[in-house]
Every structure is written in C-alpha cells, then in structure tokens.
Amino acid sequence: MRMSTKAQYAVRAMVNLNLHSGGSPVSLRDISLRESISLTYLEQLFVKLRRGKLVKSVRGPGGGYLLARPARDIQVDEIIDSVEESLVPVACMDQKHGCLCDDQCVTHNVWHGLGERIRQFLSSITLADLTEEAQRKIKQVNS
Amino acid sequence: MRMSTKAQYAVRAMVNLNLHSGGSPVSLRDISLRESISLTYLEQLFVKLRRGKLVKSVRGPGGGYLLARPARDIQVDEIIDSVEESLVPVACMDQKHGCLCDDQCVTHNVWHGLGERIRQFLSSITLADLTEEAQRKIKQVNS
DNA sequence: AGCATACCCGAGTAAAATTGTCAATTATTT
DNA sequence: AAATAATTGACAATTTTACTCGGGTATGCT
Ligand code: FES
Ligand code: FES
C-alpha cells in the first residue's frame, strides 16, 4: 500500500509551482533545481498534468507552466489521477464499470470501502491548502 | 496505491479458514483448493500469520491451522500487518519513530493523514464481520 | 535569419518489488 | 512404518517502477 514516488513528486511539484508563480510561468528547470527532481522526469509528469487539465504550458523562452485553474479548485486526488496512479486498492475495480463480482468475493466491500475513504480524504485537500501550509513552514524556519 | 495480492490472499484465506473450521484444524490444502491459491504460496503466508499470532498450527495428519483467537478479535489491519504489507503510504514513515521531517516536507500531513484513515478503516472490520457476510452471500446463491 | 530557451514525446532500460515455485525437513497420527 | 501436513530457505519468473536518452517543435530575442 504505497503511494508511488511519481505521485509524491507530482504533488510536490504542483505545490512548488504554485508557490513560486506570481502569475508568470515557471520553468521545469526551476522546479527541478528546487525540488531535486530530474528535469526529464518532471517533463514526463507535466505532460500528464497538462493532459489532466491541471496546468497550462507556455512555450519558448520565458515560458514554463501555469496552473490551469485557481489552486483552491485543484484537489490532491486530481493530481494523483493525472499521473495515472490508481487510487483504488485492487486491480479488478479499475475498469470503468467497477468489478463484476459484487456478490461473489467476500472481500469486495473491504476494498471498495477503503477506496472510497482514500478518495474522500484526498479530495478534501486542495493545492491552496498545501501552499498555505508551505508558506507557514517557510516563515517558521526563517524566524 | 495498490493492496498487494499477498495481502488480498491473506484476508481471503483467513475468511475461508474461519468459515470452514468448526473448531477443528483446517489444512492449507483445503484452503488452496477452495480459494485457488497455490499451496506453496499459502504456506509462505501462513508462516507469517502464525508469527503474527493470528493462527495456531497443528502438525501431522488431521492437522492444519486454527485461529489463535476469536474471529471477533481479529481485525483486517492485523492480517495485513502480519504478511508485512505496510499500511503507511510513504516509505519514510515506516521507521518506528515516524518520519523526521515534520516541518520540512510540505506533503507530510497528507500522507500521514491518509495513513491514519486507512488504518482506521481496516481496523474497524473484523474477521467475524467478513465471515458473516460470506455466509449471507452463500445463502443467497443457494436460494 | 539565427540562436537560445523551454516544452513535447516516444522508446528504452536498469533496478527493485512482487509473485510465485522447488526441494528437503520435521512433527504427528494411525 | 507409513502417511499426512506443517516448516523452511533458496531460488526463479514476471511485472512495475523510476528513471534516462535522443530527438523533436514552438517561441521570443537580437
Ligand atoms: S472481482 Fe473485484 S472484489 Fe471481486
Ligand atoms: S520525510 Fe516523511 S514526509 Fe517528509
């Protein structure tokens, strides 16, 4: 039951993006340096984040990425969904119609319920929440 | 964010064990046939379940495994713990003192909170709950 | 135009984790 | 003694993860 580092990186990168963007695009190079994530790996992640409509890209010099919507409207579960990490704990529930065995598997309800809790918790946290928390932590360190 | 099949098998096997034991030991061979899990793999799992004090073994002919305590006192999270699947979503929190970076990582609280929800949910379900559910499902099918 | 920046994209790859199997042994009952 | 069934450690196949590489394309600047 591990969250992949891909998902962890994606969340960190999004917080960092939001934290350092004053309305202008932030380049992956900057995020890469600040978060110590390889540039080429970040590129891979941001392609998916863009396809998930969480960020917009600006090409050319001075370009980079922008949030596609206000941070308050971006939930952590959406970030993880975008990088294609499933939040459902068992494979059989990944198909779009859910798993077929409602009344066969004894453990169906366990995994289904667990998946719902995970989704519920991660959707209750927004990128704005995390960014504010990060700002508070930075202040503490500097004081 | 997947529950390993090892953990899934362990839960299924425990339910099956409880379901078919009328106080007498159940052999892994029986469970293997009923649940279509390879015998040798089951052996591996039950060594861990025994070490986790969830089952007792009885050797020799007519032997097998018994629950070490009443099903009502065995929680799903204990089964998963026994087969050594971590319920904490990130590696840094696995050490016994938890992760060190309380006030460094921005995402610390996300993973910590998530881990707590998972634990909470899985500890709220007992083996007795699942066994009763299984019995209901069997009746439905037969009627 | 030419150059530098920075996103875009698919393929490939090495390491790690997962998911098992196999062979040999020990304990117990009949 | 013979059959049953747990016990153990080593080992092998497969899959997933966590990346890198090599080339593209769009844009702005001089
Ligand atoms: S097939 Fe999905 S829980 Fe049974
Ligand atoms: S080191 Fe564990 S969340 Fe930061």
Side-chain angles (χ1 to χ4, degrees), chain B residues 35-130:
Chain B
E35 292 287 334
S36 308
I37 303 173
S38 109
L39 176 60
T40 48
Y41 198 39
L42 269 182
E43 284 173 348
Q44 229 181 75
L45 297 182
F46 272 78
V47 166
K48 293 178 177 169
L49 291 170
R50 184 171 50 80
R51 290 188 185 140
K53 316 254 190 228
L54 296 185
V55 296
K56 282 182 297 192
S57 66
V58 180
R59 299 175 80 149
Y65 286 94
L66 289 167
L67 293 187
R69 352 177 196 132
R72 181 62 61 195
D73 296 341
I74 297 180
Q75 294 149 8
V76 173
D77 68 321
E78 292 180 290
I79 300 176
I80 298 174
D81 284 340
S82 290
V83 295
E84 288 164 6
E85 164 85 0
S86 170
L87 285 180
V88 166
V90 291
C92 57
M93 289 179 186
D94 248 355
Q95 283 77 33
K96 53 177 173 291
H97 298 303
C99 91
L100 315 167
C101 75
D102 269 30
D103 7 87
Q104 289 176 32
C105 318
V106 188
T107 48
H108 177 96
N109 289 341
V110 177
W111 312 130
H112 182 67
L114 181 60
E116 279 185 338
R117 309 300 164 112
I118 292 172
R119 172 71 62 181
Q120 193 174 28
F121 178 69
L122 292 179
S123 71
S124 75
I125 303 172
T126 71
L127 187 55
D129 295 331
L130 293 181

Side-chain angles (χ1 to χ4, degrees), chain A residues 1-3 85 89 94, chain B residues 1-3 85 89 94 133:
Chain A
M1 210 59 186
R2 277 284 154 72
M3 192 60 71
E85 164 85 359
D94 249 354
Chain B
M1 210 59 187
R2 277 283 154 73
M3 193 60 72
E85 164 85 0
D94 248 355
E133 194 182 319

